Structure formats: structure tokens, C-alpha cells
Amino acid sequence: MTAARGRGRPRAPETDASILRAALELFVERGVEGTSMEQIAKRAGVGKLTVYRRWSTKEDLIAQAVEESVGGEVTPSAAEVEALSPRDIIERALPAAAEMVANPEFRALVARMMGSAVSHPKLMAVYWEHHILPRRELASAMLRRAQADGAVAADADLDVLIDMMAGAVTWRVLQPDPPDAAGMLVYLKAVYRQIGLYA
């Protein structure tokens, strides 16, 4: 997804970054309905016209802000999944995962995305494509490896297992008093152990 290109002098990347950062912050704080292009422009320190030259609607702007926020690199790589055991992969990946899901900003973003799923499905589509789907594909590869090793039943429905893992973590993250990073690490290990990925 790219912003609409305006006329005139070349775009300044730092201006785009400021606008996108402001849009994400306001979305997390206030939701789609509580955010306006005017508020985004004010927080970014630019004129409203500058924002409208780049994005025609706040939904497009927020969608791109979310996309750039969650579209980071997913590790481990497919080659590492082939080379390492699921336990080794989990041992390496879980500390960073625990830090991420325990982060209040991440929890707030997840809550906002869930709350916007019905009224603004485009945002959830972006979140699904750039954050959830790559991680589901990684989990599926790990589960297939675990099946080959005999740790997960050969006839297990992998989509259901992934839904169980994702649902457990999401539920724990959205609780009123979620665990800190250390507590989340213990919980994630327990989830993976129940699935058969962490013996």
C-alpha cells in the first residue's frame, strides 16, 4: 500500500514518517472514529493540506501506518525451520516474542484492531496480511516438522492448533492484568508445550 503521490516538489520521507507515526498513535489512543485528519496533522506538526496531499482518507492513512508498524521481518527463516528442531526455534524466538506481546503499546494495538474489525475491515485485512499470516505460515512449518518428528499427531488439524495458540495468547494479552514479559515467557512455553512443540 502506498500513499497517493501529490504534485509539486518531491516528498520528504521524514514528513511521511511523522504523519504515519502520528496516525498510529492516535488510532491506538482513540480508535478510528476518535481520530481525524486534522488531529493527525497537528500531532505530526504539518498542515492539514500536507496530509490530504498524501492520503485521501484517514482510513487509508491509518491502514498504511498499521502496515508499516507490523510488517517487520518474521524470524526464524524457512531454512532455519528445516535445520532446527521446533524446541530450538522456540528457545531462540520466545524471549523476543514475550517482550513484544507484553508491551503495552502492542496490547493496545491488538485491542484497537479487534475493535475495528467489523466497522473498518480494511484495517484488519492489513493487519492479517502483514502480521498474522506470516506468523501462521511459520507456525504451520514448525508443526509439520513436529509431525515428522512424531511430537504432533500425524492427523492433527494444523489450522486448529494454530488457532488455539493464537487464541490463547490473544486472550491472555487482552486480560485486564496481563503478565509482564517474564510471565508471558512462562505462559508461551506452556502453550507450546500443550500443542506438542516444546517438549
Side-chain angles (χ1 to χ4, degrees):
M1 180 185 304
T2 58
R5 184 175 298 279
R7 298 177 181 176
R9 59 187 175 184
R11 293 252 300 270
E14 60 272 17
T15 300
D16 284 10
S18 295
I19 295 170
L20 289 166
R21 184 168 53 252
L24 186 67
E25 289 173 356
L26 285 165
F27 168 63
V28 170
E29 292 172 13
R30 307 175 185 181
V32 179
E33 288 78 6
T35 299
S36 69
M37 296 290 258
E38 292 82 357
Q39 292 168 341
I40 293 170
K42 182 177 180 180
R43 180 165 297 193
V46 301
K48 185 170 64 174
L49 186 58
T50 300
V51 178
Y52 275 109
R53 282 189 182 128
R54 290 160 165 77
W55 294 272
S56 58
T57 70
K58 67 177 179 181
E59 287 80 8
D60 287 339
L61 171 49
I62 292 171
Q64 185 172 346
V66 170
E67 176 181 340
E68 298 202 4
S69 171
V70 302
E73 182 181 359
V74 178
T75 56
S77 66
E80 288 174 315
V81 171
E82 287 294 325
L84 300 173
S85 71
R87 182 186 175 86
D88 288 340
I89 292 171
I90 290 168
E91 283 285 359
R92 292 172 59 179
L94 272 193
E99 289 283 351
M100 180 185 72
V101 298
N103 186 308
E105 293 179 2
F106 178 78
R107 295 201 309 264
L109 176 60
V110 170
R112 284 296 184 194
M113 293 305 306
M114 296 296 180
S116 302
V118 174
S119 57
H120 300 277
K122 181 178 182 179
L123 294 179
M124 179 55 77
V126 167
Y127 188 66
W128 181 271
E129 178 181 357
H130 294 277
H131 181 76
I132 297 176
L133 189 58
R135 287 157 179 81
R136 288 184 70 91
E137 291 170 349
L138 172 60
S140 181
M142 290 173 58
L143 285 166
R144 288 194 299 271
R145 171 68 187 274
Q147 282 181 318
D149 293 344
V152 172
D155 61 349
D157 188 319
L158 301 191
D159 281 332
V160 171
L161 292 182
I162 294 169
D163 286 346
M164 290 167 61
M165 290 189 289
V169 174
T170 301
W171 177 253
R172 187 58 59 100
V173 163
L174 296 180
Q175 287 182 351
D177 187 22
D180 60 11
M184 188 59 74
L185 181 60
V186 172
Y187 180 71
L188 289 174
K189 286 181 179 180
V191 170
Y192 282 111
R193 189 176 295 113
Q194 292 297 318
I195 295 297
L197 287 176
Y198 192 80

